[in-house]
Amino acid sequence: MDNRLLDRHAEALALFTDRVHAVRPDQWDAPTPCTEWSVRDLVNHLAAEQLWVPPLVSEGRTMADVGDAFDGDVLGEHPAVTWDRAASAAKAAFNEPGALDRTVELSYGESTVVAYCAQMVADATVHAWDLSRAIGADETLPGALVAFTEREVAPYAAGLAKSGLFAPAVKPPEGADVQTQLLCLLGRNP
């Protein structure tokens, strides 16, 4: 399981990295399927998530210890460079010997690092689609990431809209493929 999880994490980061590097200078303010976010906001969200990983996983710090260090704009003048550094550091933290045997404190309480990493895979995968849609890139997600993300979010998908962080699920069209079903489950209109 550990190697497959780390493989999926690396694949999700690589996919999102590819999309970040495809953003043209005139697209950073473009809207995304995440109605409250521009392209820059979306990339900033994912970069901030990656920045949290080393302090929580490698250093054993709590959210209170880290505080508001990653609030606001973390991208600065060079968004793609910042993303690359944040993704590389997160990947290194999850790949440390014994990292997946640890626990971390997240906003909703204690979690295993395995569960935390799985959530990060799902988030990067779905947001790679969002970013692809926003910049006009290929929206096809790798099958292994789609399957992994569907398995990850299916058990708690019904409660996501209630959290206020996701739009309500959308009914997929008849005969929809797995990617379309997943995106609809997460409130997207593919």
Side-chain angles (χ1 to χ4, degrees):
M1 170 59 181
D2 293 354
N3 286 340
R4 286 184 306 216
L5 175 60
L6 294 174
D7 288 348
R8 292 296 78 78
H9 182 254
E11 187 178 9
L13 289 180
L15 176 65
F16 198 81
T17 297
D18 179 68
R19 297 310 186 264
V20 169
H21 285 270
V23 177
R24 294 188 319 263
D26 65 329
Q27 292 179 312
W28 287 102
D29 291 325
T32 70
C34 304
T35 57
E36 302 296 316
W37 287 343
S38 67
V39 166
R40 185 179 179 91
D41 295 332
L42 176 64
V43 174
N44 188 73
H45 165 70
L46 265 288
E49 281 192 340
Q50 306 316 308
L51 291 170
W52 275 98
V53 176
L56 297 178
V57 174
S58 298
E59 300 166 21
R61 295 171 65 192
T62 66
M63 294 190 76
D65 294 337
V66 178
D68 62 1
F70 306 123
D71 288 357
D73 183 351
V74 299
L75 294 179
E77 294 294 316
H78 305 286
V81 172
T82 301
W83 163 257
D84 289 346
R85 289 180 181 153
S88 178
K91 182 178 175 184
F94 281 130
N95 279 276
E96 288 175 359
L100 296 181
D101 298 325
R102 301 176 192 152
T103 59
V104 291
E105 178 200 318
L106 301 176
S107 60
Y108 55 82
E110 191 172 88
S111 172
T112 66
V113 171
V114 167
Y116 179 37
C117 185
Q119 291 168 11
M120 297 289 277
V121 171
D123 203 46
T125 299
V126 173
H127 285 317
W129 180 86
D130 293 329
L131 186 53
S132 297
R133 169 72 49 109
I135 66 171
D138 182 4
E139 297 176 12
T140 306
L141 300 172
L145 286 176
V146 171
F148 180 94
T149 301
E150 194 280 326
R151 285 191 307 274
E152 172 62 24
V153 301
Y156 55 83
L160 291 176
K162 294 175 191 167
S163 73
L165 301 174
F166 289 83
V170 174
K171 183 175 169 62
E174 190 72 32
D177 62 22
V178 178
Q179 176 176 312
T180 300
Q181 291 174 31
L182 171 66
L183 294 168
C184 288
L185 180 66
L186 297 174
R188 270 77 174 168
N189 285 301

